[in-house]
Amino acid sequence: MNALNVSEYMQTLGLQARQASAAMARADAATRSRALRALAALLRANVDALQQDNARDIARAEAAGLAAPMVDRLKLTPKVIATVAEGCEQLATMPDVIGEISGMRQQPSGIRVGQMRVPIGVFGMIYESRPNVTIEAASLSIKSGNACILRGGSEAIDSNKALARLVQQALAEAGLPQDAVQLVQTTDREAVGQLITMPQYVDVVIPRGGKGLIERISRDAKVPVIKHLDGNCHVYVDDSADLDMAVRIVDNAKTQKYSPCNAAESLLVARSVAGRFLPRIAAVFAAKGVEMRTDAGAAALVGPVPGARVAPATEQDWYEEYLAPIISIKLVDGLDEAIAHINRYGSHHTDAIVTRDHMHAQRFLREVDSASVMVNTSPRFADGFEYGLGAEIGISTDKFHARGPVGIEGLTSLKWVVLGNGELRT
Amino acid sequence: MNALNVSEYMQTLGLQARQASAAMARADAATRSRALRALAALLRANVDALQQDNARDIARAEAAGLAAPMVDRLKLTPKVIATVAEGCEQLATMPDVIGEISGMRQQPSGIRVGQMRVPIGVFGMIYESRPNVTIEAASLSIKSGNACILRGGSEAIDSNKALARLVQQALAEAGLPQDAVQLVQTTDREAVGQLITMPQYVDVVIPRGGKGLIERISRDAKVPVIKHLDGNCHVYVDDSADLDMAVRIVDNAKTQKYSPCNAAESLLVARSVAGRFLPRIAAVFAAKGVEMRTDAGAAALVGPVPGARVAPATEQDWYEEYLAPIISIKLVDGLDEAIAHINRYGSHHTDAIVTRDHMHAQRFLREVDSASVMVNTSPRFADGFEYGLGAEIGISTDKFHARGPVGIEGLTSLKWVVLGNGELRT
């Protein structure tokens, strides 16, 4: 396709999505659940066919010399397919929030006023490599009564096309418009530029991928973006912390997995407990090969630990999202300095305090300006499934509209419902 | 100020606002209420001084030949001052939503997860002429625990400066930072350009004014905008409507005031009742001098009414927000056509159905894609005060974040609160 054709093609997808969104908003919960269960059944019935399409993507990726972990992310194994099918069925059984009316109250004029939860309309999703995201996004879209336009990575185009065909078949089986879920069939980069600049057709765009992609899309988009930038998550070990618990939480926060955005990247320790706490956690880090970038005070306490890899922290380290076996460590005078440090250097993603002091816990929750604030547990819990949202379309580091893990509600809006009996404004 | 100075000046305001916002977020409800009551008292104690400053704006406006209604909008009469002072006191007594935690539920892992309502941070507000908006915005900002930067119209600069001084005095009396409410002291247009492009300092911008202003700001802003474009509001008179009620509602919707955005601009009538309904409402419009722009079917029914001013509607009329004694009128086959027409031509602001049919009412509420949907009452009720929000910072025609009348909650966000007892992610 040339640029003009791509533009026309995307406009067509947009118009079709907008039209389909009205039918989706009208559809009742049972119909949308039927589509989700049909999708699960189709996924299970087509494991072999899906793997054949997927094999073409994998062969192309291997021929192009893609790194093994990247190739792994592409794979639609029977286990991956079973997992996304199960996800569709779980969504089908979850309570339906569309059409729910809340807060209906009578006003002095006599009118009754409440709010109804309705689909947001059409969302665009831009994501990289992993083809299972196609099913996750499609199923969340169906559950929330929206239409969506999906733009997956070019590496997974054959797998994504095969999955999108099954989604459209499931929609048709349930009597819903196939255009409610459309996959962008071209890998032309121009398609993304179009997708994010059609406010008449697309109500919100959700990019999932590297920071560069998300910054580029946020800068160029003419529609709202639910964006997830970096996760520079902190654990603060307070004066009154249970130090056994603190060791377990900080270990889990840093080492349970290094790559997730909700892994801890920075450890703050109250000076009064640093002497008892830091050597213990440093021994854990030493055993697991985690490098510690510390201020001078912390260096003096962790340096003597056998096997510890210690380097001095620079100003930049306090901002860093390592996604690696590295952690920055700083001593602080107490709660005030911890909160100020997190609000200054953090990325407003997820931060935790370990404390037994009720007032400190309350102040940390209130004053740390992050999407998730935690007491006595691991920031690794910041996740739509762990929060009981059933599914997660992304994690927002914004404060506007959706914040933190975004589930079905993030794809809806509340409109005002007013019931009267002939009342007039005077 | 030259452009460079304006830029530096706005950056300074931004930095000060960001710093003040942390203190505001920490402040308890009693302190913020104290500031609101202090502001009310200061307004009442300074009626004469405010009128002197206001007189300079009025003299300048009259010398510049501003139209009388525009000059009227500028006036800080004792009544206007009493009203805004009363508004501050009402806000002070309203329940405080900041810090409120909702939906706290235990998850399978053992963690308890809920959401806390917190201030959004810093908002910028851009508005025209009426100086009382300065107090409305400042008081909502204080109540919601935010900091704000206010940019009023150049016509009201002296009045706004005087009002802003009282706001800062009230903040100081309550022990809150004066920078929590800052008025842009220059009338340089460059200041607006800066205000809407400082995402590091400003979290959301709220323009209030003409459509041109709002479109320009939405186009150029680098931060989210709570925007209110036009209000092309419809009343649909259904087959089963109580026609006496329908006459009263349509009359109220169109003629109670012509200029508000929630006045009706378009009337849709089910063909089956048009013969009995249209001559009656046409007689009302004829008596009040309201011009009717109609399709051919409606023309045949309203044309014979004595004194009726009737003109054929063009395609453009169905899109039009007249804000004047004009209404477009169209016959429709029934509910489906009415909903399709409203979703196509409306501005997604406020639309109402008059009906006795329960299923029609439910479908209208669900399927009309507008910020406010109403049954058997007048769209003129679409208003923050009438909805019980206590105050209104604007009306949003967007679906993202805030929709319809925006009160205190629109200036807040929900962050996730996670309480644990040493739980770890596995």
Coordinates of all heavy atoms in Angstrom, one line a residue, chain B residues 16-91:
Chain B
Q16 N 6.0 26.9 41.5 CA 5.3 27.2 42.7 C 4.0 26.4 43.0 O 3.7 26.0 44.1 CB 5.1 28.7 42.8 CG 6.4 29.5 42.9 CD 6.3 31.0 42.8 OE1 7.2 31.7 42.9 NE2 5.1 31.5 42.4
A17 N 3.3 26.3 41.9 CA 2.0 25.6 42.0 C 2.3 24.1 42.4 O 1.6 23.5 43.2 CB 1.2 25.6 40.7
R18 N 3.3 23.5 41.7 CA 3.6 22.1 41.9 C 4.0 21.9 43.4 O 3.6 21.0 44.0 CB 4.7 21.6 41.0 CG 5.1 20.2 41.1 CD 4.0 19.2 40.9 NE 3.8 18.9 39.5 CZ 2.6 18.5 39.0 NH1 1.6 18.3 39.8 NH2 2.5 18.2 37.7
Q19 N 4.8 22.8 43.9 CA 5.3 22.7 45.3 C 4.1 22.9 46.2 O 3.9 22.1 47.2 CB 6.4 23.8 45.6 CG 7.7 23.4 44.9 CD 8.7 24.5 44.9 OE1 8.4 25.6 45.1 NE2 10.0 24.1 44.7
A20 N 3.2 23.9 45.9 CA 2.1 24.1 46.8 C 1.1 22.9 46.8 O 0.4 22.6 47.8 CB 1.3 25.4 46.4
S21 N 1.0 22.2 45.6 CA 0.1 21.1 45.5 C 0.4 20.0 46.5 O -0.6 19.4 47.0 CB 0.0 20.6 44.1 OG 1.1 19.8 43.8
A22 N 1.6 19.8 46.8 CA 2.0 18.8 47.8 C 1.4 19.1 49.2 O 0.8 18.3 49.8 CB 3.5 18.6 47.8
A23 N 1.5 20.4 49.5 CA 1.0 20.8 50.8 C -0.5 20.7 50.9 O -1.1 20.4 51.9 CB 1.5 22.2 51.2
M24 N -1.1 21.1 49.7 CA -2.6 21.0 49.7 C -3.1 19.6 49.8 O -4.1 19.3 50.4 CB -3.1 21.6 48.3 CG -2.9 23.1 48.2 SD -3.8 24.1 49.5 CE -5.5 23.9 49.0
A25 N -2.4 18.7 49.1 CA -2.8 17.3 49.2 C -2.7 16.7 50.6 O -3.4 15.8 51.0 CB -1.9 16.4 48.2
R26 N -1.7 17.2 51.3 CA -1.5 16.8 52.7 C -2.5 17.4 53.7 O -2.8 16.8 54.7 CB -0.1 17.2 53.2 CG 1.0 16.3 53.0 CD 2.2 16.6 53.9 NE 2.6 18.0 53.7 CZ 3.5 18.4 52.8 NH1 4.1 17.6 52.0 NH2 3.9 19.7 52.8
A27 N -3.0 18.6 53.3 CA -3.8 19.3 54.3 C -5.1 18.6 54.6 O -5.7 17.9 53.7 CB -4.2 20.7 53.7
D28 N -5.6 18.7 55.9 CA -6.8 17.9 56.2 C -8.0 18.8 55.8 O -7.9 19.9 55.5 CB -6.8 17.5 57.7 CG -6.7 18.7 58.6 OD1 -7.0 19.8 58.2 OD2 -6.2 18.4 59.8
A29 N -9.2 18.1 55.9 CA -10.4 18.8 55.4 C -10.7 20.0 56.3 O -11.1 21.0 55.7 CB -11.6 17.7 55.6
A30 N -10.5 20.0 57.6 CA -10.8 21.1 58.4 C -10.0 22.3 58.0 O -10.5 23.5 58.0 CB -10.5 20.7 59.9
T31 N -8.7 22.1 57.7 CA -7.9 23.3 57.3 C -8.4 23.9 56.0 O -8.5 25.1 55.8 CB -6.4 22.8 57.1 OG1 -6.0 22.2 58.3 CG2 -5.5 24.0 56.8
R32 N -8.7 23.0 55.0 CA -9.2 23.5 53.7 C -10.6 24.3 53.9 O -10.8 25.3 53.3 CB -9.3 22.4 52.7 CG -7.9 22.0 52.2 CD -7.9 20.9 51.2 NE -8.0 19.6 51.8 CZ -9.0 18.8 51.7 NH1 -10.1 19.2 51.0 NH2 -9.0 17.7 52.3
S33 N -11.4 23.7 54.8 CA -12.7 24.4 55.0 C -12.5 25.8 55.7 O -13.2 26.7 55.4 CB -13.6 23.5 55.9 OG -14.0 22.4 55.2
R34 N -11.4 25.8 56.6 CA -11.1 27.1 57.3 C -10.8 28.1 56.2 O -11.2 29.3 56.3 CB -10.0 26.9 58.3 CG -10.0 27.9 59.4 CD -9.3 27.3 60.6 NE -7.9 27.0 60.4 CZ -7.3 25.8 60.6 NH1 -8.1 24.8 61.1 NH2 -6.1 25.6 60.3
A35 N -10.0 27.7 55.2 CA -9.6 28.7 54.2 C -10.8 29.2 53.4 O -10.9 30.3 53.1 CB -8.6 28.0 53.2
L36 N -11.7 28.2 53.1 CA -12.9 28.6 52.4 C -13.8 29.6 53.2 O -14.3 30.6 52.6 CB -13.8 27.4 52.0 CG -13.1 26.5 51.0 CD1 -13.8 25.1 50.9 CD2 -13.1 27.2 49.6
R37 N -13.9 29.4 54.5 CA -14.7 30.3 55.3 C -14.0 31.6 55.5 O -14.7 32.7 55.5 CB -15.0 29.6 56.7 CG -16.2 28.7 56.6 CD -16.7 28.2 58.0 NE -15.7 27.4 58.6 CZ -15.7 26.1 58.6 NH1 -16.7 25.4 58.0 NH2 -14.8 25.4 59.2
A38 N -12.7 31.6 55.6 CA -11.9 32.8 55.6 C -12.1 33.6 54.4 O -12.3 34.9 54.4 CB -10.5 32.5 55.9
L39 N -12.1 32.9 53.2 CA -12.3 33.6 52.0 C -13.7 34.3 51.9 O -13.9 35.4 51.5 CB -12.2 32.6 50.8 CG -12.4 33.2 49.4 CD1 -11.6 34.4 49.1 CD2 -12.1 32.1 48.4
A40 N -14.7 33.6 52.4 CA -16.1 34.1 52.4 C -16.1 35.4 53.2 O -16.7 36.4 52.8 CB -17.1 33.1 52.9
A41 N -15.5 35.3 54.4 CA -15.5 36.5 55.3 C -14.8 37.7 54.6 O -15.2 38.8 54.7 CB -14.8 36.1 56.6
L42 N -13.6 37.4 54.0 CA -12.9 38.5 53.3 C -13.6 39.1 52.2 O -13.6 40.3 52.0 CB -11.5 37.9 52.8 CG -10.5 37.7 53.9 CD1 -9.3 36.8 53.4 CD2 -9.9 39.0 54.5
L43 N -14.3 38.3 51.4 CA -15.2 38.8 50.3 C -16.2 39.8 50.9 O -16.4 40.9 50.4 CB -15.8 37.7 49.6 CG -14.9 36.8 48.7 CD1 -15.5 35.5 48.3 CD2 -14.4 37.6 47.5
R44 N -16.9 39.4 52.0 CA -17.9 40.2 52.5 C -17.4 41.5 53.1 O -18.0 42.5 53.1 CB -18.7 39.4 53.6 CG -19.5 38.2 53.1 CD -20.7 37.9 53.9 NE -21.5 36.9 53.3 CZ -21.3 35.6 53.5 NH1 -20.4 35.2 54.3 NH2 -22.0 34.7 52.8
A45 N -16.2 41.4 53.7 CA -15.6 42.6 54.3 C -15.0 43.5 53.3 O -14.6 44.6 53.7 CB -14.5 42.1 55.3
N46 N -14.9 43.1 52.1 CA -14.2 43.9 51.1 C -15.0 44.3 49.9 O -14.5 44.5 48.8 CB -12.9 43.2 50.6 CG -11.8 43.2 51.7 OD1 -11.0 44.2 51.8 ND2 -11.7 42.2 52.5
V47 N -16.3 44.4 50.1 CA -17.2 44.7 49.0 C -16.9 46.0 48.4 O -16.8 46.1 47.2 CB -18.7 44.7 49.5 CG1 -19.6 45.2 48.4 CG2 -19.1 43.2 49.9
D48 N -16.6 47.0 49.2 CA -16.4 48.4 48.7 C -15.0 48.4 47.9 O -15.0 48.9 46.8 CB -16.3 49.4 49.8 CG -17.7 49.6 50.4 OD1 -18.7 49.2 49.8 OD2 -17.8 50.2 51.5
A49 N -14.0 47.8 48.5 CA -12.7 47.8 47.9 C -12.8 47.0 46.5 O -12.2 47.5 45.5 CB -11.7 47.2 48.8
L50 N -13.5 45.9 46.5 CA -13.6 45.1 45.3 C -14.3 45.9 44.2 O -13.9 45.9 43.1 CB -14.4 43.8 45.6 CG -13.6 42.7 46.3 CD1 -14.5 41.6 46.8 CD2 -12.4 42.2 45.5
Q51 N -15.3 46.7 44.6 CA -16.1 47.4 43.7 C -15.2 48.6 43.1 O -15.4 48.9 41.9 CB -17.3 48.0 44.3 CG -18.4 46.9 44.5 CD -19.8 47.4 44.6 OE1 -20.1 47.8 45.7 NE2 -20.5 47.4 43.6
Q52 N -14.3 49.1 43.9 CA -13.4 50.1 43.3 C -12.5 49.6 42.3 O -12.3 50.2 41.2 CB -12.6 50.8 44.5 CG -13.4 51.8 45.3 CD -12.6 52.2 46.5 OE1 -11.4 52.2 46.6 NE2 -13.4 52.6 47.6
D53 N -11.9 48.4 42.6 CA -11.0 47.8 41.5 C -11.9 47.4 40.3 O -11.4 47.6 39.2 CB -10.4 46.5 42.1 CG -9.3 46.9 43.1 OD1 -8.4 47.6 42.8 OD2 -9.4 46.4 44.3
N54 N -13.1 46.9 40.6 CA -14.0 46.5 39.5 C -14.3 47.7 38.6 O -14.4 47.6 37.4 CB -15.2 45.8 40.1 CG -16.2 45.3 39.0 OD1 -17.3 45.6 39.0 ND2 -15.7 44.4 38.2
A55 N -14.5 48.8 39.3 CA -14.9 50.0 38.5 C -13.8 50.4 37.4 O -14.2 50.9 36.4 CB -15.0 51.2 39.5
R56 N -12.6 50.1 37.7 CA -11.5 50.4 36.7 C -11.7 49.5 35.5 O -11.6 50.0 34.3 CB -10.1 50.2 37.3 CG -9.7 51.3 38.3 CD -8.2 51.4 38.4 NE -7.6 50.2 38.9 CZ -7.6 49.8 40.1 NH1 -8.2 50.5 41.1 NH2 -7.0 48.7 40.5
D57 N -12.0 48.2 35.7 CA -12.3 47.3 34.6 C -13.5 47.8 33.8 O -13.5 47.8 32.5 CB -12.6 45.9 35.1 CG -11.3 45.2 35.6 OD1 -10.2 45.6 35.1 OD2 -11.4 44.3 36.4
I58 N -14.5 48.2 34.5 CA -15.8 48.6 33.8 C -15.5 49.9 33.0 O -15.9 50.0 31.8 CB -16.9 48.8 34.8 CG1 -17.3 47.4 35.4 CG2 -18.1 49.5 34.2 CD1 -18.2 47.5 36.6
A59 N -14.8 50.9 33.6 CA -14.5 52.1 32.9 C -13.7 51.8 31.6 O -14.0 52.4 30.6 CB -13.7 53.1 33.8
R60 N -12.7 50.9 31.7 CA -11.9 50.6 30.6 C -12.8 49.9 29.5 O -12.7 50.2 28.3 CB -10.8 49.7 31.0 CG -9.5 49.9 30.3 CD -8.3 49.1 30.8 NE -8.7 47.8 31.2 CZ -8.6 47.3 32.5 NH1 -8.1 48.1 33.4 NH2 -9.0 46.1 32.8
A61 N -13.7 49.0 29.9 CA -14.5 48.3 29.0 C -15.5 49.3 28.3 O -15.7 49.2 27.1 CB -15.3 47.3 29.7
E62 N -16.0 50.2 29.1 CA -17.0 51.2 28.4 C -16.2 52.1 27.5 O -16.7 52.4 26.4 CB -17.7 52.0 29.5 CG -18.8 51.1 30.2 CD -19.4 51.8 31.4 OE1 -18.8 52.7 32.0 OE2 -20.5 51.4 31.8
A63 N -15.0 52.5 27.9 CA -14.2 53.4 27.0 C -13.9 52.7 25.7 O -13.8 53.3 24.6 CB -12.9 53.8 27.7
A64 N -13.7 51.4 25.8 CA -13.3 50.6 24.6 C -14.6 50.3 23.8 O -14.5 49.6 22.7 CB -12.6 49.3 25.0
G65 N -15.8 50.7 24.3 CA -17.0 50.5 23.5 C -17.5 49.1 23.6 O -18.2 48.6 22.6
L66 N -17.2 48.3 24.6 CA -17.8 47.0 24.8 C -19.3 47.0 24.9 O -19.9 48.0 25.5 CB -17.2 46.3 26.1 CG -16.6 45.0 25.9 CD1 -15.3 45.1 25.0 CD2 -16.3 44.3 27.2
A67 N -19.9 46.1 24.3 CA -21.4 46.0 24.3 C -21.9 45.9 25.7 O -21.3 45.3 26.6 CB -21.9 44.8 23.5
A68 N -23.1 46.5 26.0 CA -23.6 46.5 27.3 C -23.7 45.2 28.0 O -23.4 45.0 29.2 CB -25.0 47.2 27.3
P69 N -24.2 44.1 27.3 CA -24.2 42.8 28.0 C -22.9 42.3 28.5 O -22.7 41.7 29.5 CB -24.8 41.9 27.0 CG -25.4 42.7 25.9 CD -24.7 44.0 26.0
M70 N -21.8 42.6 27.7 CA -20.5 42.2 28.0 C -20.0 43.0 29.2 O -19.3 42.5 30.1 CB -19.5 42.5 26.8 CG -19.7 41.6 25.6 SD -19.5 39.9 26.0 CE -17.7 39.9 26.1
V71 N -20.4 44.3 29.3 CA -20.0 45.1 30.4 C -20.7 44.6 31.7 O -20.1 44.5 32.8 CB -20.3 46.6 30.2 CG1 -20.1 47.4 31.5 CG2 -19.5 47.1 29.0
D72 N -22.0 44.2 31.5 CA -22.7 43.6 32.7 C -22.1 42.4 33.2 O -22.0 42.2 34.4 CB -24.2 43.3 32.2 CG -25.1 44.4 32.3 OD1 -24.7 45.5 32.9 OD2 -26.2 44.3 31.8
R73 N -21.5 41.5 32.4 CA -20.9 40.3 32.8 C -19.7 40.6 33.6 O -19.2 39.8 34.4 CB -20.5 39.5 31.6 CG -21.7 38.7 30.9 CD -21.3 38.3 29.5 NE -20.1 37.5 29.5 CZ -20.1 36.1 29.5 NH1 -21.2 35.5 29.5 NH2 -19.0 35.5 29.4
L74 N -19.1 41.8 33.5 CA -17.9 42.2 34.2 C -18.2 42.6 35.6 O -17.3 42.6 36.5 CB -17.2 43.4 33.5 CG -16.2 43.1 32.4 CD1 -15.6 44.4 31.9 CD2 -15.0 42.3 33.0
K75 N -19.4 43.0 35.9 CA -19.7 43.7 37.1 C -19.7 42.8 38.4 O -20.3 41.8 38.5 CB -21.1 44.4 37.0 CG -21.0 45.6 36.2 CD -22.3 46.4 36.2 CE -22.2 47.6 35.2 NZ -23.5 48.1 34.8
L76 N -18.9 43.3 39.4 CA -18.9 42.7 40.7 C -19.9 43.5 41.6 O -19.4 44.3 42.4 CB -17.5 42.7 41.3 CG -16.5 41.6 40.9 CD1 -15.2 41.8 41.6 CD2 -17.1 40.2 41.2
T77 N -21.1 43.2 41.4 CA -22.1 43.9 42.3 C -22.1 43.3 43.7 O -21.6 42.2 43.9 CB -23.5 43.7 41.7 OG1 -23.8 42.3 41.7 CG2 -23.6 44.2 40.3
P78 N -22.6 44.0 44.7 CA -22.7 43.4 46.0 C -23.4 42.1 46.0 O -23.1 41.1 46.7 CB -23.5 44.5 46.8 CG -23.2 45.8 46.1 CD -23.1 45.4 44.7
K79 N -24.4 41.9 45.1 CA -25.1 40.6 45.0 C -24.2 39.5 44.5 O -24.2 38.4 45.0 CB -26.4 40.8 44.1 CG -27.2 39.6 44.0 CD -28.7 39.9 43.5 CE -29.5 38.7 43.3 NZ -29.2 38.0 42.1
V80 N -23.5 39.9 43.4 CA -22.5 38.8 42.9 C -21.5 38.4 43.9 O -21.2 37.2 44.1 CB -21.8 39.4 41.6 CG1 -20.6 38.5 41.2 CG2 -22.8 39.5 40.5
I81 N -21.0 39.4 44.7 CA -20.0 39.1 45.7 C -20.6 38.2 46.8 O -20.0 37.3 47.3 CB -19.4 40.4 46.3 CG1 -18.6 41.1 45.2 CG2 -18.5 40.1 47.5 CD1 -18.2 42.6 45.6
A82 N -21.9 38.6 47.2 CA -22.6 37.8 48.2 C -22.8 36.4 47.8 O -22.6 35.4 48.5 CB -23.9 38.4 48.6
T83 N -23.1 36.2 46.5 CA -23.3 34.9 46.0 C -22.1 34.0 46.0 O -22.1 32.8 46.4 CB -23.9 35.0 44.5 OG1 -25.1 35.7 44.5 CG2 -24.2 33.6 43.9
V84 N -21.0 34.6 45.5 CA -19.7 33.8 45.5 C -19.3 33.5 47.0 O -18.7 32.4 47.2 CB -18.6 34.4 44.7 CG1 -19.0 34.3 43.2 CG2 -18.2 35.8 45.1
A85 N -19.5 34.4 47.9 CA -19.1 34.2 49.3 C -19.9 33.0 49.8 O -19.4 32.1 50.5 CB -19.3 35.4 50.1
E86 N -21.2 33.0 49.5 CA -22.1 32.0 50.0 C -21.7 30.6 49.4 O -21.7 29.6 50.0 CB -23.5 32.3 49.5 CG -24.6 31.6 50.3 CD -26.0 31.9 49.7 OE1 -26.3 33.1 49.4 OE2 -26.8 30.9 49.6
G87 N -21.2 30.7 48.1 CA -20.7 29.4 47.4 C -19.6 28.9 48.2 O -19.5 27.6 48.4
C88 N -18.6 29.7 48.7 CA -17.5 29.3 49.4 C -17.9 28.6 50.7 O -17.4 27.5 51.1 CB -16.6 30.4 49.8 SG -15.8 31.2 48.3
E89 N -18.9 29.2 51.4 CA -19.4 28.6 52.6 C -20.1 27.3 52.4 O -19.9 26.3 53.2 CB -20.3 29.6 53.4 CG -19.5 30.6 54.2 CD -20.3 31.8 54.6 OE1 -21.4 31.9 54.1 OE2 -19.8 32.6 55.4
Q90 N -20.8 27.2 51.3 CA -21.5 25.9 51.0 C -20.5 24.8 50.7 O -20.6 23.7 51.2 CB -22.4 26.1 49.7 CG -23.7 26.7 50.1 CD -24.6 27.0 48.8 OE1 -24.2 26.6 47.7 NE2 -25.7 27.6 49.0
L91 N -19.4 25.2 50.0 CA -18.4 24.2 49.7 C -17.7 23.7 51.0 O -17.4 22.5 51.2 CB -17.3 24.8 48.8 CG -17.5 24.6 47.3 CD1 -16.3 25.3 46.6 CD2 -17.6 23.2 46.9

